[in-house]
């Protein structure tokens, strides 16, 4: 990844700005009122305040940062150290656990967003093993396949957890000789229920401000969890993607819709949607890969 191949170069309209506009007013939410500890006393008013802050952040920004979340800094530092050790391995060693179209868990260095390669390498491992997913996005194809983790031989520190189709990713963004042409991760919206990301102190989160459509940089907050977009020099990030079971149908709660307030999106299968999203990881498509906005009901 020492030279910039044409596959990495973003369209002019989507290339990164080398001058940084720092965001102001990004929601930073203290979760301590809802974190249970042996000596804590539940305060309904404080809990209601946190819930209100989260609701406002989701409505106005679509993301937020959290502090006093109950995850020890020691655990974060350990996983970051393991990520650094893994990505420092020789390329031939990392490629021994290379992921492919049949098993998408493991190492990969050619991921695409909007059909443009990201300037990064990654290591994915699932939370539940095996994880069951549709074999294809075809609605008529009822076959379900199993995903299994691939672990590097020389890093026994890496382990796995249990639940649903959620997965964890270790990202490494090498220094780029032409940062004005590429992105660590291209513009995108995560399709799952929730993404929780730990990043290093280099930063890289950019968000599209709703008021004017401007992409602005969010300064990293120590020991906080954020959502990642991309940056221009070596850095690391560790997102956790919270996803439902593959058979889940995504649709609004019935009590939230009626004739006066109809659903704005058509129901869709999470498993088929997820399977479709994987198609662009291994080849460049002639059209944009499936997005949630494709299910929006025409007004």
């Amino acid at each position: 990844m020492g030279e910039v191949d044409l596959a990495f170069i973003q369209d002019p309209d989507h290339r990164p700005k080398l001058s940084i506009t720092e965001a102001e007013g990004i929601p930073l939410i203290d979760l301590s009122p809802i974190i249970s500890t042996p000596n804590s006393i539940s305060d309904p008013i404080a809990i209601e305040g946190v819930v209100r802050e989260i609701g406002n952040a989701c409505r106005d920004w679509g993301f937020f940062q959290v502090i006093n979340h109950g995850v020890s800094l020691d655990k974060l530092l350990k996983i970051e150290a393991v990520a650094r050790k893994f990505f420092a391995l020789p390329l031939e060693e990392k490629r021994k656990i290379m992921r492919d179209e049949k098993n998408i868990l493991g190492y990969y260095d050619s991921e695409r967003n909007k059909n443009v390669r990201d300037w990064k390498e990654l290591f994915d491992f699932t939370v539940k093993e095996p994880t069951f997913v549709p074999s294809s996005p075809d609605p008529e194809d009822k076959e379900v396949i199993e995903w299994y983790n691939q672990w590097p031989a020389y890093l026994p520190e890496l382990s796995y957890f249990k639940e649903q189709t959620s997965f964890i990713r270790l990202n490494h963004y090498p220094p780029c000789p032409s940062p004005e042409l590429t992105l660590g991760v291209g513009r995108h919206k995560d399709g799952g229920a929730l993404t929780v990301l730990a990043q290093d102190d280099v930063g890289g989160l950019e968000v599209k401000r709703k008021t004017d459509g401007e992409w602005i940089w969010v300064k990293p907050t120590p020991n906080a969890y954020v959502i990642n977009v991309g940056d221009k020099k070596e850095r690391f990030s560790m997102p956790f993607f919270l996803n439902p079971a593959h058979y889940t149908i995504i649709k609004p709660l019935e009590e939230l819709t009626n004739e006066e307030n109809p659903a704005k999106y058509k129901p869709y299968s999470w498993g088929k949607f997820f399977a479709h999203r994987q198609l662009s990881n291994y080849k460049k498509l002639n059209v944009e890969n499936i997005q949630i906005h494709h299910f929006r009901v025409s007004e």
Side-chain angles (χ1 to χ4, degrees):
M1 300 180 73
E3 298 181 0
V4 178
D5 186 275
L6 291 176
F8 291 100
I9 297 179
Q10 297 282 331
D11 290 337
D13 290 343
H14 302 296
R15 291 176 186 173
K17 301 174 298 181
L18 297 187
S19 59
I20 292 176
T21 302
E22 189 170 325
E24 296 181 0
I26 299 297
L28 181 64
I29 300 175
D30 184 349
L31 296 184
S32 57
I34 63 173
I35 301 298
S36 296
T37 63
N39 299 320
S40 65
I41 299 176
S42 179
D43 182 347
I45 296 178
I47 293 174
E48 183 180 342
V50 173
V51 172
R52 188 183 305 111
E53 284 187 79
I54 293 174
N56 291 339
C58 292
R59 183 191 65 240
D60 299 337
W61 288 87
F63 84 101
F64 51 91
Q65 299 187 80
V66 295
I67 56 174
N68 297 325
H69 37 66
V71 180
S72 70
L73 179 59
D74 181 61
K75 289 182 179 179
L76 176 59
L77 295 177
K78 283 182 178 178
I79 190 64
E80 182 177 323
V82 170
R84 291 180 181 275
K85 287 173 65 176
F86 172 73
F87 290 116
L89 291 173
L91 184 58
E92 61 269 21
E93 195 63 39
K94 290 181 286 191
R95 285 184 170 173
K96 289 180 181 179
I97 55 171
M98 192 80 158
R99 76 182 197 185
D100 55 35
E101 293 183 57
K102 292 185 178 180
N103 187 358
I104 73 161
L105 301 173
Y107 174 75
Y108 199 53
D109 59 0
S110 302
E111 187 162 80
R112 296 174 180 270
N113 266 295
K114 302 294 188 296
N115 285 322
V116 180
R117 276 187 67 181
D118 292 333
W119 189 268
K120 70 175 182 185
E121 54 182 343
L122 60 86
F123 174 69
D124 282 346
F125 56 102
T126 187
V127 170
K128 182 178 181 180
E129 189 178 43
T131 289
F132 298 94
V133 294
S135 62
S136 79
D138 183 356
E140 302 302 320
D141 184 358
K142 305 303 181 184
E143 182 184 2
V144 174
I145 59 175
E146 299 176 356
W147 289 350
Y148 288 90
N149 288 319
Q150 300 187 86
W151 300 109
Y154 302 108
L155 285 175
E157 300 97 323
L158 286 174
S159 60
Y160 58 92
F161 309 86
K162 298 183 182 293
E163 278 308 323
Q164 301 165 354
T165 59
S166 303
F167 66 98
I168 298 172
R169 169 171 294 176
L170 306 181
N171 286 321
H172 174 224
Y173 306 87
C176 180
S178 300
E180 74 281 2
L181 301 177
T182 69
L183 288 170
V185 177
R187 70 196 192 282
H188 69 284
K189 295 180 180 179
D190 291 332
L194 184 69
T195 302
V196 181
L197 179 137
Q199 63 173 357
D200 62 12
D201 57 1
V202 175
L205 171 65
E206 293 183 359
V207 296
K208 191 174 184 179
R209 190 162 49 199
K210 287 185 176 182
T211 54
D212 57 9
E214 181 78 4
W215 286 97
I216 50 179
W217 184 77
V218 181
K219 186 177 181 180
T221 300
N223 200 23
Y225 287 87
V226 295
I227 301 172
N228 169 63
V229 173
D231 203 60
K232 287 86 183 176
K233 63 178 181 178
E234 182 183 45
R235 68 185 189 91
F236 298 83
S237 65
M238 291 77 71
F240 167 73
F241 300 96
L242 178 63
N243 298 329
H246 73 88
Y247 48 78
T248 303
I249 301 299
I250 307 300
K251 61 180 181 179
L253 296 173
E254 292 183 2
E255 57 264 34
L256 298 181
T257 59
N258 51 45
E259 291 184 4
E260 290 75 29
N261 185 34
K264 294 182 172 61
Y265 292 84
K266 304 172 186 176
Y268 63 91
S269 163
W270 164 254
K272 294 299 183 182
F273 175 84
F274 192 41
H276 201 300
R277 289 286 287 257
Q278 309 310 311
L279 295 178
S280 65
N281 284 342
Y282 305 98
K283 57 185 176 182
K284 184 173 183 178
L285 305 178
N286 294 324
V287 295
E288 180 186 28
N289 202 355
I290 192 168
Q291 305 290 330
I292 292 176
H293 68 76
H294 292 153
F295 296 94
R296 189 172 181 86
V297 177
S298 300
E299 297 180 356

